Amino acid sequence: MPKSSRPGLLSEPDFGRLSAATALGQLGDRIVFLALPLVAIAALHADAFQVGLLSTMTTAGSLLVGLPAGAWVDRMRKRPVLIGTDLVRALALLTIPVACWTGLLTIWWLYAIALVHGVLTVFFDVAYVSYLPHLVGRGNLVAGNAKLSAIRSVTSISGPAVAGPLVGLVGAPATLLASSAGMAMSGLLAVTIRKPEQKPEPSAQPQLGREIKEGLRFVARHPVLRAITLGDAAFNLFLAVYQSMLLVFLERELGLQPFGIGLILSGMGCGALLGALMATSISLRIGHGPVIWIAALVTCPPAVLMPLARPGGSVYVAAAGLSALSLGGVVRVVAQSSFQQALTPDRLLGRMSATARFVSWGGIPLGGLLGGASGSVFGATGTLWIGAAGMTLSALPGLLSPLRTMRTPPAERSRLDGPLRSQDAGEGECGGQASAEHHGRGADDGCS
């Protein structure tokens, strides 16, 4: 049986260190989110297509190394991966202000750093998802994910709030120094985590292609994991379309300065924080499965308030719509992350995470490219409308899957040494009943 989530999880030293490292790393990431496009827009006078292409390069790593990253991470300890990727990302970001001050900065330099940063982020995120069950135990996954989401949400507020004034004061390139410092400190904090991590048992005949196929097959054949991944893919595709033109719209259509843009993005962080704080109670009230698709269906439509905004008071209403979008996104991610981790045996955690990321994040580069092209044809306003509509439709895979009635995540799974049997892949809890009561039945039996 899973252990109950403990309120003192944050007080445990190793989880506290991971939380602090998460806060610093995410703070650096949120500053990048604002500062990197503004370097292109303000310092290099990039057009809409170039800004969209920069967004594409930032996330192209999911397509380039998404699947092999999972197989590689499953072969190694996770903590060294977290440390190494943090430190190398910090060094890569440091080159941007240096290149700017020496007169060497070009849009192609930004593309290259965005690509390197994105590839390293893939390895970091895959290792991060695989490391959490080891650190907190599978019985504490919902609590652990909720607490880390709350921390990330706080940095979503403070990141833009810090970055906006910094950009206005010292310029976007110099602001990236703060991002680099945050990631470096995150890596150094991860060094202090003490809990021993057993090295995965090496395969007798390691074959990258076979290991990748095993992860793909596991996710594709599992009705719950498949629905989560497809819904995420649709959401992220259209979120990338939306975000590729959001800064362009805020600066060029609404005439906001960096400080005002930072406040808007901080408002999104407030929504995310509220979502993290409410995620557990909302999921318990609505059901962990239904909340995954209901959150998208309810909180994505308010994103249309932004393209309706005009300079003046309507900007605040639009900002509230973005806050609702962020709130729903965090509630959904907490619920679905707990499902993904609970349903996957230890030996497949990296590959499950990488497969889900490859499919669900693989559309982000395409979304950035489509957003840039759409911005050139329909303008930033039309592109925001397209993005909001697509994000709302991302609720469909969850609505049409067993998640529709699965009120709780599955019970703690045994740490299997071999791949799950096909009938096991469909097991879960339906309406609060233990999966053992449905042994041998697919998730559609009793779940729909």
Side-chain angles (χ1 to χ4, degrees):
M1 294 297 292
K3 296 182 290 184
S4 61
S5 60
R6 293 164 291 179
L9 196 58
L10 271 175
S11 66
E12 296 183 2
D14 281 340
F15 186 76
R17 295 182 183 107
L18 180 66
S19 301
T22 298
L24 288 167
Q26 287 291 316
L27 181 62
D29 244 358
R30 299 314 296 173
I31 294 175
V32 170
F33 177 77
L34 177 65
L36 194 61
L38 287 178
V39 171
I41 293 170
L44 299 178
H45 308 290
D47 58 31
F49 181 79
Q50 289 175 319
V51 175
L53 185 57
L54 181 62
S55 175
T56 298
M57 299 303 289
T58 302
T59 53
S62 296
L63 288 177
L64 294 177
V65 299
L67 291 177
W72 287 326
V73 167
D74 274 340
R75 298 176 183 176
M76 61 186 75
R77 293 185 177 93
K78 311 305 182 289
R79 188 172 68 102
V81 178
L82 301 179
I83 296 168
T85 51
D86 262 342
L87 296 179
V88 177
R89 284 189 297 173
L91 182 61
L93 291 172
L94 185 61
T95 67
I96 294 178
V98 173
C100 182
W101 296 331
T102 57
L104 299 175
L105 185 64
T106 66
I107 191 65
W108 294 103
W109 186 267
L110 288 185
Y111 291 156
I113 297 302
L115 180 61
V116 169
H117 183 273
V119 168
L120 293 170
T121 298
V122 171
F123 282 92
F124 178 91
D125 287 347
V126 169
Y128 189 86
V129 170
S130 305
Y131 190 57
L132 186 62
H134 159 78
L135 195 64
V136 304
R138 289 173 176 263
N140 286 295
L141 287 176
V142 174
N145 281 314
K147 286 179 172 63
L148 291 175
S149 291
I151 292 169
R152 288 193 292 267
S153 300
V154 170
T155 61
S156 294
I157 300 170
S158 57
V162 169
L166 272 179
V167 169
L169 183 64
V170 300
T175 300
L176 288 172
L177 289 173
S179 178
S180 176
M183 288 187 178
M185 293 174 67
S186 173
L188 294 175
L189 266 173
V191 173
T192 66
I193 295 176
R194 299 303 182 197
K195 185 174 182 179
E197 183 184 0
Q198 185 177 359
K199 187 175 182 180
E201 289 290 334
S203 174
Q205 293 180 325
Q207 295 180 3
L208 184 62
R210 179 183 59 80
E211 293 171 359
I212 290 173
K213 285 173 62 177
E214 187 178 6
L216 281 167
R217 187 166 55 246
F218 177 71
V219 173
R221 290 181 177 179
H222 199 298
V224 173
L225 298 180
R226 183 173 64 242
I228 287 173
T229 303
L230 292 177
D232 239 11
F235 179 85
N236 287 331
L237 171 68
F238 287 99
L239 177 64
V241 170
Y242 191 94
Q243 288 184 330
S244 67
M245 289 296 106
L246 179 59
L247 291 181
V248 175
F249 180 83
L250 292 173
E251 184 188 63
R252 295 179 180 172
E253 301 293 332
L254 298 185
L256 295 180
Q257 299 300 312
F259 181 77
I261 295 174
L263 289 179
I264 295 289
L265 299 182
S266 292
M268 294 180 68
C270 289
L273 175 59
L274 186 60
L277 296 175
M278 298 172 61
T280 301
S281 59
I282 291 176
S283 294
L284 289 173
R285 181 177 295 273
I286 298 176
H288 290 77
V291 80
I292 291 174
W293 59 268
I294 290 175
L297 194 62
V298 172
T299 62
C300 290
V304 302
L305 294 172
M306 182 55 69
L308 290 173
R310 297 294 179 268
S314 62
V315 174
Y316 301 107
V317 178
L322 293 184
S323 296
L325 176 66
S326 295
L327 185 153
V330 171
V331 170
R332 177 179 58 84
V333 166
V334 168
Q336 70 186 30
S337 295
S338 301
F339 266 98
Q340 289 170 317
Q341 291 163 336
L343 283 166
T344 307
D346 284 359
R347 63 179 297 274
L348 286 171
L349 275 169
R351 277 167 283 175
M352 178 281 297
S353 175
T355 298
R357 183 189 176 97
F358 177 79
V359 177
S360 62
W361 286 50
I364 295 179
L366 177 61
L369 195 61
L370 290 175
S374 176
S376 299
V377 176
F378 302 111
T381 302
T383 301
L384 294 182
W385 275 98
I386 294 170
M391 287 188 286
T392 302
L393 292 175
S394 70
L396 287 177
L399 176 61
L400 301 176
S401 78
L403 287 168
R404 187 174 62 254
T405 55
M406 292 180 69
R407 293 194 56 83
T408 58
E412 183 176 352
R413 299 194 65 91
S414 60
R415 301 192 174 197
L416 303 178
D417 293 326
L420 294 178
R421 296 173 299 168
S422 59
Q423 67 264 35
D424 293 333
E427 291 176 11
E429 287 191 16
C430 310
Q433 299 299 313
S435 59
E437 298 178 12
H438 303 285
H439 183 70
R441 302 171 63 185
D444 292 329
D445 297 330
C447 295
S448 56

